[in-house]
Amino acid sequence: MATKLAALILLAAFIAGPAACEGASICFNGWLRLPSYNPRLCRSRPDIQRRQRIPSPSGSGLSYGYYNSRCPSAEKLVTAAVRKAVAANPGIGAGLIRLFFHDCFVRGCDASVLLTATNSNNMDTEREGPPNKDSLRGFEVIDEAKAAIEAACPGTVSCADVVAFAARDASYFLSNRRINIPMQGGRYDGRESFANETDQLPGPFSNVTELQASFAAKGLTSDEMVVLSGAHTIGRARCMFSSSRLSEMDPAFAAKLRAQCNGDDNTNVNQDDVTPDVLDRQYYQNVIDRKVLFTSDAVLNSTETIAQVRENANRAGAWERKFERAMENMGKIGIKTRGDQQGAEIRKVCSRVNN
């Protein structure tokens, strides 16, 4: 059922396209814009409507230098794999940061986003969910790092920690070494993954209330939401997520996008047209200048969040320090730190559970 629903949602997203403007329904937690309301795709989300923030994630059981004695080369091996990948293609670095975010927001930071074979033997894993299907990147970097670690220290380092360290290292290299996230270790890997649970991920059509509610449900603040949105200063996105709001953008920027997309919603364009391969604070100036792709970016120009946007845009170094703290805090969401906790384990291969 989940696989069929994912396919239906993706099909509807293509159909909705630029024509879905006035009166459109935004569904699947901001990932889908429909011309009219569809109860199958736009079910009520009480958690989004109420916007109740749970306590900030504690990270109990995690620690800095967790592998110093368990597997001294672990973090260096991850760094080496990420350095090579980012040097060859900065877009992979952007993908690794996104992979970490999409992992932590569904079932916590447990590498469930990597699974293709689960304890329940289902095929409709998170990788098949509408926000992830055919768009997540960086799996090969995780696999390369994990294989090197397994050769050095079998059964010791979790895939969840590899994902977290890879996002940390991608942030470091893409920011020209200006961002250095103090990432703790000690996570265990989950054994389940379901496509329909990816509706917890805030989408490109989300408004401010929905964004705040999605982050609050994970114990993160509105300010952390604004800070983490800054990762949209790197990477690329399909035209289908911005083609319906060209009239709301800076006219010159909209004209450039229209030419790049050329009527093809599957075309990918840079999220940041100024410094597309650098993780920096340019994103916030883009928000102010109406040169961002997503609705979820543009709404940060609202009265609720514009003060944070302006501070991040104007104060050198301020956003980088806040991004470091927010990424570390996000890495504490829903963690598993014991092998017997909900069937958690240290996977041998990141894409499948152990036998």
Side-chain angles (χ1 to χ4, degrees):
M1 176 62 185
T3 301
K4 293 180 180 179
L5 177 60
L8 179 61
I9 288 174
L10 286 171
L11 175 62
F14 281 107
I15 294 173
C21 298
E22 291 293 332
S25 291
I26 307 303
C27 314
F28 208 82
N29 200 16
W31 281 96
L32 177 62
R33 179 187 283 267
L34 292 176
S36 59
Y37 179 75
N38 185 321
R40 289 189 64 197
L41 302 178
C42 303
R43 69 182 188 279
S44 174
R45 287 291 308 273
D47 55 320
I48 295 300
Q49 299 299 325
R50 287 194 299 267
R51 197 181 123 185
Q52 295 179 349
R53 189 167 79 89
I54 66 171
S56 181
S58 68
S60 177
L62 300 181
S63 62
Y64 302 111
Y66 182 84
Y67 294 107
N68 285 355
S69 59
R70 295 173 173 86
C71 184
S73 61
E75 295 191 43
K76 293 179 182 178
L77 290 170
V78 176
T79 301
V82 173
R83 181 190 293 111
K84 183 176 73 172
V86 172
N89 182 358
I92 296 298
L96 290 169
I97 296 172
R98 184 170 184 255
L99 193 65
F100 181 48
F101 178 84
H102 282 226
D103 183 37
C104 292
F105 261 61
V106 183
R107 292 187 164 259
C109 309
D110 69 346
S112 55
V113 73
L114 306 179
L115 286 172
T116 57
T118 71
N119 189 54
S120 298
N121 294 318
N122 61 299
M123 300 300 293
D124 54 337
T125 63
E126 291 170 34
R127 290 170 71 153
E128 299 300 311
N132 296 337
K133 188 174 177 63
D134 299 326
S135 69
L136 287 181
R137 306 175 73 187
F139 294 111
E140 70 281 4
V141 182
I142 302 300
D143 290 341
E144 179 181 336
K146 175 64 171 174
I149 290 170
E150 282 296 304
C153 316
T156 305
V157 180
S158 69
C159 298
D161 278 343
V162 173
V163 171
F165 295 149
R168 173 201 64 191
D169 294 337
S171 299
Y172 178 72
F173 293 122
L174 288 171
S175 66
N176 293 322
R177 295 169 169 78
R178 292 188 178 95
I179 293 174
N180 196 350
I181 301 164
M183 192 65 71
Q184 297 173 308
R187 301 165 188 81
Y188 273 65
D189 300 322
R191 291 174 55 81
E192 300 291 4
S193 181
F194 301 98
N196 61 0
E197 293 182 350
T198 58
D199 68 349
Q200 298 172 64
L201 290 159
F205 298 118
S206 298
N207 60 37
V208 169
T209 299
E210 291 163 340
L211 290 170
Q212 290 172 326
S214 292
F215 279 73
K218 305 302 175 184
L220 302 180
T221 66
S222 178
D223 190 52
E224 286 174 312
M225 177 271 290
V226 175
V227 168
L228 291 170
S229 294
H232 286 175
T233 192
I234 51 169
R236 295 166 67 80
R238 283 178 286 180
C239 292
M240 63 182 290
F241 293 123
S242 58
S243 57
S244 63
R245 54 175 305 273
L246 292 175
S247 62
E248 303 167 18
M249 300 177 184
D250 170 83
F253 180 65
K256 185 174 183 178
L257 278 180
R258 189 177 288 109
Q260 289 176 334
C261 294
N262 196 27
D264 184 357
D265 274 352
N266 276 323
T267 297
N268 286 306
V269 293
N270 290 326
Q271 295 205 78
D272 177 356
D273 193 50
V274 182
T275 56
D277 294 330
V278 182
L279 185 62
D280 58 14
R281 59 194 170 101
Q282 178 62 43
Y283 166 82
Y284 298 99
Q285 190 60 50
N286 293 345
V287 172
I288 294 169
D289 294 341
R290 297 187 298 127
K291 295 180 179 179
V292 288
L293 299 183
F294 302 154
T295 298
S296 59
D297 297 323
V299 297
L300 298 187
N301 217 335
S302 69
T303 54
E304 288 189 76
T305 52
I306 189 59
Q308 297 101 300
V309 168
R310 286 180 178 144
E311 179 184 24
N312 293 336
N314 297 326
R315 284 186 57 199
W319 173 73
E320 286 84 354
R321 302 294 80 75
K322 289 193 285 185
F323 187 75
E324 290 168 351
R325 293 191 295 270
M327 286 283 282
E328 181 186 5
N329 205 26
M330 185 174 71
K332 301 173 183 177
I333 296 174
I335 57 169
K336 301 169 177 64
T337 56
R338 299 192 309 274
D340 61 348
Q341 186 181 19
Q342 301 176 16
E345 63 187 12
I346 303 293
R347 284 183 222 143
K348 298 174 183 177
V349 176
C350 289
S351 61
R352 62 176 184 266
V353 297
N354 298 337
N355 293 330

